[in-house]
Amino acid sequence: MSETSLAISKFSDLANPTRFLALAARAIPWLTGITALCFIVGLYLSFATEGDYQQGETVRIMYVHVPSAWLSMMCYTIMSLSAIGTLVWRHPLADVSAKAAAPLGAAFTLLALVTGSLWGKPMWGTWWVWDARLTSVFVLFLMYLGLIALGRAIDDPSKAARVSAVLILVGFVNIPIIKFSVEWWNTLHQSASVLRLDGPAIDPEFLRPLFVMAIAFTLLFFTLHIMAMRNEIWRRRIAAQRRLAARMASRED
Amino acid sequence: MTALFFRDLKLSIRAGGGALIGVLFFLTIVAVIPFGVGPDLKLLSRIGPAIVWIGALLAALLGLDRLFQAERDDGSLDLMLMQETPLVLTVLVKCFAHWTATSLPLVIASPLLGLFMNMDETAIGATILTLLVGSPAITFIGAVGAAVAVALPRGGLLVSILVLPLTIPVLIFGVSATYAAVEDAAPFLPPFLILIALTLFFAVIGPAAAALALRNTAD
């Protein structure tokens, strides 16, 4: 068996929810542990470093704001990939993944908006401006909420998944807009300073804690995502069992 | 396809006055604004284009949930899914019919509202032009929402919530093109071209996604 087909068969093995649950049971304690460790190191580093000469202590907001903003976009990207999985391969775990990711994405987006607002007040002198980056992230937040509402409005989970998947893919146009909004429209929000072609533009002093915090937040996302997927699978099994029990009961009558 | 176009057009005009209701709703929205911001003519002429655009956007959303719902109720949606012509084309034609029946009257009514808002001739002309070019994009985006909502028992309000965030780029460039036409400082053409690009882009994406959603909800 060649390398790729082995990888594909491993991937399709995960389609079996029971295998996924077994894997999740093994992975979750490790993931939780590593996430906690990263947060301890990251938080220590972010409080140990000096404040910025210009921004003072408020620069520490960055260590929460930037990772959550990055996750708000990564979560939507993962949902889009899951949507493709739902529509193209009918992968049974893809719709579970998309459904579990939506509330997480909404939470991280809200966190990015709130911390940005808290940071904006001392720096820019205002809680909110209708700047391109802020507005597009706010639209992303609305889209997460709309997708959650849509998922709840349809009873049949597989139909809900396929319909939401279409909408997720249409909404993906917003992600490049968010990413490049600071370069296309030169408004109040500062332009990209970490992921740049010519290397990061911020001091390594700030980059180190930011990097650790970004890893910690990403791990936190994956831990929560796998936990939420596990809960969703269990919820569907319980619903199936209930239906079965109801059918048996009605047959006995 | 032409037959489908005229069938849809006739249905939406005759059944409950879809077009008339849309225009009335548009008029009402714009008439309510001066009560909210005060009858200051200078202020009104400044924010006029934006208000006309928002009114048109909301009015265009009004009849969207009926785009496929009626077909589903009387069973003709299943026939459309089964026929030989690609579903994408059918959806595209239905979008054009819907646009002609509901959005075109709004475009025609907008000069009158421009007068109410104390806008000058260039502003009115620019608003008509941008609405004419931009409103198809709203219909195409709305078609996705309408197709998604076919699966819902009562999805009218949800369609608006799902569709509105996606229409924001259209609104931004429509209004900025209008302002650019009024003020000498900003060039009119770049935002106007982006608006055209958005309409063409969604003319491709919208019907394709709507057809995909319809196939998936039909089962």
Side-chain angles (χ1 to χ4, degrees):
Chain A
M1 202 184 273
S2 72
E3 198 75 357
T4 41
S5 65
L6 197 70
I8 288 172
S9 81
K10 269 198 183 139
F11 184 67
S12 54
D13 273 356
L14 275 178
N16 183 339
T18 313
R19 286 229 179 100
F20 175 80
L21 285 180
L23 190 75
R26 254 184 300 156
I28 285 173
W30 285 99
L31 272 174
T32 319
I34 300 172
T35 309
L37 200 70
C38 280
F39 264 110
I40 292 168
V41 175
L43 285 174
Y44 171 75
L45 278 178
S46 30
F47 280 103
T49 49
E50 301 263 313
D52 188 61
Y53 75 98
Q54 230 178 353
Q55 309 196 349
E57 296 297 312
T58 54
V59 76
R60 300 192 207 286
I61 298 173
M62 176 177 76
Y63 304 133
V64 177
H65 174 70
V66 173
S68 35
W70 135 249
L71 274 180
S72 71
M73 285 190 278
M74 189 191 73
C75 182
Y76 200 91
T77 312
I78 286 179
M79 282 170 72
S80 306
L81 293 176
S82 307
I84 295 172
T86 305
L87 290 174
V88 178
W89 296 293
R90 299 280 158 102
H91 196 288
L93 280 181
D95 62 331
V96 175
S97 156
K99 194 175 178 208
L104 290 174
F108 280 117
T109 314
L110 184 65
L111 193 62
L113 286 171
V114 169
T115 51
S117 176
L118 290 175
W119 199 8
K121 184 64 186 164
M123 288 304 109
W124 299 339
T126 170
W127 296 107
W128 180 262
V129 279
W130 290 97
D131 143 279
R133 174 60 69 85
L134 274 67
T135 311
S136 52
V137 172
F138 186 62
V139 169
L140 181 69
F141 181 60
L142 291 180
M143 284 191 329
Y144 276 125
L145 295 186
L147 285 168
I148 295 171
L150 180 68
R152 293 202 174 162
I154 307 176
D155 290 330
D156 178 10
S158 70
K159 193 187 266 185
R162 277 176 280 147
V163 169
S164 323
V166 173
L167 208 66
I168 291 171
L169 286 181
V170 173
F172 188 71
V173 290
N174 194 24
I175 295 295
I177 294 180
I178 296 177
K179 178 73 190 82
F180 296 109
S181 56
V182 282
E183 278 139 53
W184 293 344
W185 295 279
N186 241 331
T187 34
L188 200 50
H189 197 285
Q190 66 154 344
S191 57
S193 48
V194 180
L195 286 174
R196 275 160 55 135
L197 288 176
D198 51 348
I202 60 174
D203 196 82
E205 170 93 17
F206 301 115
L207 196 57
R208 218 175 303 117
L210 182 63
F211 187 64
V212 179
M213 283 302 269
I215 292 175
F217 265 84
T218 312
L219 283 170
L220 176 69
F221 168 78
F222 279 115
T223 313
L224 292 175
H225 189 216
I226 290 177
M227 282 173 152
M229 280 173 75
R230 186 183 60 174
N231 291 348
E232 180 64 27
I233 293 172
W234 278 342
R235 191 179 300 134
R236 286 184 189 182
R237 287 196 174 171
I238 290 170
Q241 295 280 336
R242 278 205 185 127
R243 263 203 301 278
L244 204 65
R247 202 172 297 153
M248 296 296 254
S250 68
R251 201 171 291 167
E252 275 165 18
D253 284 342
Chain B
M1 287 290 111
T2 343
L4 179 69
F5 180 80
F6 284 112
R7 169 189 170 274
D8 265 31
L9 200 60
K10 272 183 199 154
L11 272 179
S12 49
I13 289 172
R14 285 186 194 157
L20 191 66
I21 293 277
V23 173
L24 276 180
F25 184 64
F26 187 32
L27 277 170
T28 321
I29 292 177
V30 175
V32 162
I33 302 288
F35 291 106
V37 299
D40 179 6
L41 281 180
K42 260 206 197 96
L43 179 69
L44 283 180
S45 71
R46 201 159 58 80
I47 60 175
I51 288 167
V52 172
W53 251 94
I54 291 171
L57 176 65
L58 293 177
L61 289 177
L62 194 64
L64 263 178
D65 59 320
R66 304 298 301 164
L67 188 54
F68 301 112
Q69 196 77 51
E71 264 79 13
R72 185 187 166 82
D73 291 347
D74 66 10
S76 47
L77 185 65
D78 293 329
L79 291 178
M80 281 171 193
L81 286 169
M82 279 188 289
Q83 70 187 359
E84 277 174 22
T85 41
L87 187 59
V88 182
L89 268 184
T90 314
V91 173
L92 188 68
V93 170
K94 281 183 74 66
C95 286
F96 276 128
H98 185 265
W99 179 79
T100 318
T102 56
S103 295
L104 197 58
L106 299 181
V107 177
I108 296 168
S110 57
L112 178 66
L113 295 170
L115 282 179
F116 284 177
M117 287 287 136
N118 193 31
M119 284 149 61
D120 57 17
E121 290 83 7
T122 27
I124 291 176
T127 310
I128 297 171
L129 199 60
T130 49
L131 270 180
L132 191 65
V133 168
S135 56
I138 296 168
T139 310
F140 291 130
I141 300 168
V144 184
V148 161
V150 161
L152 303 170
R154 288 190 313 174
L157 193 60
L158 194 58
V159 176
S160 312
I161 295 172
L162 296 174
V163 164
L164 272 178
L166 294 171
T167 57
I168 288 175
V170 182
L171 184 67
I172 290 174
F173 287 107
V175 173
S176 63
T178 315
Y179 279 133
V182 180
E183 289 157 22
D184 294 329
F188 171 70
L189 214 49
F192 188 66
L193 287 179
I194 292 180
L195 192 63
I196 295 173
L198 278 173
T199 301
L200 293 176
F201 177 72
F202 282 114
V204 176
I205 300 282
L212 194 62
L214 280 179
R215 276 203 196 290
N216 278 316
T217 50
D219 51 30

